Amino acid sequence: MAQREISEEDLRKRVRALLEEAHPDKVDQFTFRGKLYDYGLAWVHFPEGFGGLGVSPGMQAVIADELSKHAKTHYDDMMINAIGIGMGAPTVLTHGTDWMRKTLLRRIFTGEDIWCQLFSEPGSGSDVAGLATRATREGDYWTVNGQKVWTSLAHVSKWGMLLARTNPDAPKHAGMSYFLLDMQSPGVEVRPLHQITGEAEFNEVFLTDVKIPADRLMGREGEGWKVAITTLMNERTAIGGGGPTRRGAGSIGVLINLWKSREQGQFSPDAEILLRDRITKLYIEAELLRMTTQRGKAARKAGNPGPEGSVVKLAQAELNKRIWECAMDVMGADSLIYEPGYKRRRPTSRAREGRNSLTKYQFLRARANSIEGGTSEVMRNILGERVLGLPGEPRSDKDVPWKQIPRSA
């Protein structure tokens, strides 16, 4: 698709025209974001008619800048519909039917329909292609049976992106298909998972004789892996690219503020020197990552991201853990008490109110950063093989029919 050219000033005029019709300080989230979609300002690199203008993704920053100048109310895509906007929308645009594009994209962006991703299974986490959930064609429907796990937001989702095995006689990457699943369908059961933070942000999802209409297939039968790659590459870019745009903001900003507010004599002279050097090194790394991410966004062209998104995701996951570990060390003994407790509950912002509470929560939550969206080990494999061009790891099961591959019970 040819990329359209539009000047920055014309784009800013378009934003100002939108604000005259629907200002975020005066109308609700759904009305404002719906108009943003209709004006082609939702995701500018999408085609016209589907929330975009067909211009460079780098122009999205112009819209954010113009909105920040004229409105007090700002919406964070990742807070409104992280999986739908970050992964569902580009997958629907690339592989969905016309009905899916016309029906689903606008509601994804407004946040009217929350989405989840049904890939991981108890026996297939990092090896997604080994999944065992089965989908069998019966006339105009597919019948699905199996179990998914680590499914964020499943308890509030309208739609799920489901990867299931449709041909067990084919090699594991070739025998899967990709479905759009209505999460309110009979046979879908969502159970919360208890996390280290005390929250149940993730879920288990049990699928028992779930019926999916045949026209909810995304891509062709047996090409689910190809569709899943689109979802995964956008997932890693969404996670890795979600860092702060302003210097010194985000997790490193919290650490700096904690350091500045330390009490006189809290640390011995030697400990003070060591901590100061450690924080300085973390600040430099955070700033390098921020600039690399911003440069990547500015240079990105229309279309789905490639494996380079995995590099940023890997760096951010590992750095984030070290920043929060250092913040706990700066807090000292105060870090030993986790006030919200560990009784299972659904996520709320109360556990993160205040700098100290936020630090304790994020120290625990950051453990997931190197697991969710692909582990750091998987990211290193992608970096080595698809970015640096190094030889791939031996894969003895690559051409073996899935049903012949040994699996745990």
Side-chain angles (χ1 to χ4, degrees):
M1 180 181 69
Q3 193 164 282
R4 178 185 170 191
E5 296 294 332
I6 185 170
S7 71
E8 180 177 326
E9 183 50 35
D10 285 344
L11 200 54
R12 290 185 185 277
K13 287 180 181 176
R14 199 177 185 91
V15 175
R16 293 195 289 271
L18 158 74
L19 291 173
E20 288 183 7
E21 188 173 341
H23 198 288
D25 295 345
K26 300 176 182 175
V27 299
D28 63 30
Q29 168 191 319
F30 304 124
T31 302
F32 171 68
R33 289 179 68 86
K35 286 295 180 183
L36 205 59
Y37 181 94
D38 297 339
Y39 267 74
L41 303 175
W43 26 57
V44 290
H45 55 295
F46 275 33
E48 290 187 87
F50 296 110
L53 297 170
V55 303
S56 165
M59 298 295 276
Q60 197 73 45
V62 175
I63 297 166
D65 180 62
E66 194 65 21
L67 288 174
S68 69
K69 291 178 179 176
H70 300 286
K72 296 177 181 176
T73 305
H74 304 287
Y75 296 105
D76 182 346
D77 289 351
M78 295 300 285
M79 296 301 293
I80 287 176
N81 196 2
I83 296 172
I85 293 174
M87 302 157 231
T91 304
V92 168
L93 180 68
T94 306
H95 302 284
T97 63
D98 287 343
W99 174 85
M100 292 178 186
R101 297 188 191 102
K102 292 175 182 174
T103 307
L104 303 173
L105 288 175
R106 193 176 191 273
R107 294 178 65 86
I108 289 176
F109 185 73
T110 60
E112 289 168 273
D113 291 341
I114 304 299
W115 282 49
C116 65
Q117 178 195 41
L118 299 155
F119 284 13
S120 295
E121 297 184 2
S124 303
S126 294
D127 180 23
V128 173
L131 59 83
T133 291
R134 290 293 309 276
T136 306
R137 181 73 182 260
E138 297 175 356
D140 294 334
Y141 287 85
W142 291 86
T143 300
V144 182
N145 284 283
Q147 180 188 353
K148 298 292 179 177
V149 73
W150 309 124
T151 312
S152 304
L153 303 175
H155 56 295
V156 292
S157 288
K158 165 61 179 172
W159 297 107
M161 295 173 279
L162 171 68
L163 199 56
R165 189 156 304 282
T166 49
N167 182 3
D169 295 317
K172 62 181 185 179
H173 288 87
M176 294 181 290
S177 298
Y178 196 115
F179 300 92
L180 174 68
L181 171 64
D182 185 339
M183 293 296 289
Q184 273 79 59
S185 300
V188 177
E189 182 184 0
V190 179
R191 300 179 188 173
L193 283 173
H194 196 175
Q195 298 164 223
I196 193 173
T197 57
E199 295 182 339
E201 177 187 351
F202 304 133
N203 303 275
E204 294 178 287
V205 179
F206 295 84
L207 307 165
T208 306
D209 292 331
V210 176
K211 304 293 185 186
I212 301 179
D215 60 3
R216 301 276 170 85
L217 185 68
M218 296 179 71
R220 295 179 180 175
E221 180 182 342
E223 294 186 356
W225 184 247
K226 178 181 176 182
V227 185
I229 288 295
T230 299
T231 306
L232 292 170
M233 291 302 171
N234 278 284
E235 178 182 30
R236 287 152 194 171
T237 300
I239 295 174
T245 57
R246 184 169 52 83
R247 185 171 63 182
S251 55
I252 193 65
V254 177
L255 173 58
I256 297 296
N257 287 333
L258 276 171
W259 178 246
K260 288 179 177 176
S261 63
R262 70 191 184 284
E263 294 180 3
Q264 189 75 24
Q266 180 178 343
F267 301 103
S268 69
D270 288 345
E272 179 106 359
I273 291 171
L274 290 172
L275 268 174
R276 188 179 60 212
D277 287 353
R278 188 174 159 196
I279 293 169
T280 302
K281 184 174 184 293
L282 289 170
Y283 183 90
I284 292 170
E285 289 183 62
E287 185 59 9
L288 287 172
L289 178 59
R290 185 189 69 82
M291 289 191 289
T292 300
T293 303
Q294 294 306 307
R295 188 171 63 242
K297 285 182 178 178
R300 188 180 158 196
K301 297 180 179 177
N304 288 303
E308 62 278 0
S310 300
V311 180
V312 177
K313 196 270 180 188
L314 169 64
Q316 188 174 70
E318 298 301 323
L319 177 61
N320 224 24
K321 286 199 290 188
R322 287 187 283 119
I323 287 175
W324 292 117
E325 286 167 4
C326 186
M328 294 288 273
D329 289 342
V330 172
M331 286 178 62
D334 286 346
S335 67
L336 297 177
I337 301 173
Y338 185 55
E339 289 83 358
Y342 298 96
K343 186 177 180 181
R344 192 175 74 186
R345 59 189 178 277
R346 287 299 186 184
T348 68
S349 59
R350 275 177 291 178
R352 306 158 212 173
E353 290 175 351
R355 190 174 53 204
N356 287 8
S357 295
L358 176 66
T359 297
K360 296 174 190 179
Y361 172 84
Q362 289 292 3
F363 169 74
L364 297 171
R365 180 60 180 80
R367 304 294 100 186
N369 291 167
S370 54
I371 303 173
E372 57 196 355
T375 66
S376 287
E377 289 73 21
V378 170
M379 298 301 107
R380 289 189 179 95
N381 274 350
I382 294 172
L383 168 61
E385 296 176 16
R386 302 186 59 186
V387 178
L388 300 178
L390 300 175
E393 284 193 344
R395 294 182 172 89
S396 60
D397 61 358
K398 183 177 180 182
D399 299 318
V400 178
W402 174 82
K403 67 180 183 182
Q404 295 180 13
I405 300 173
R407 288 180 298 280
S408 58

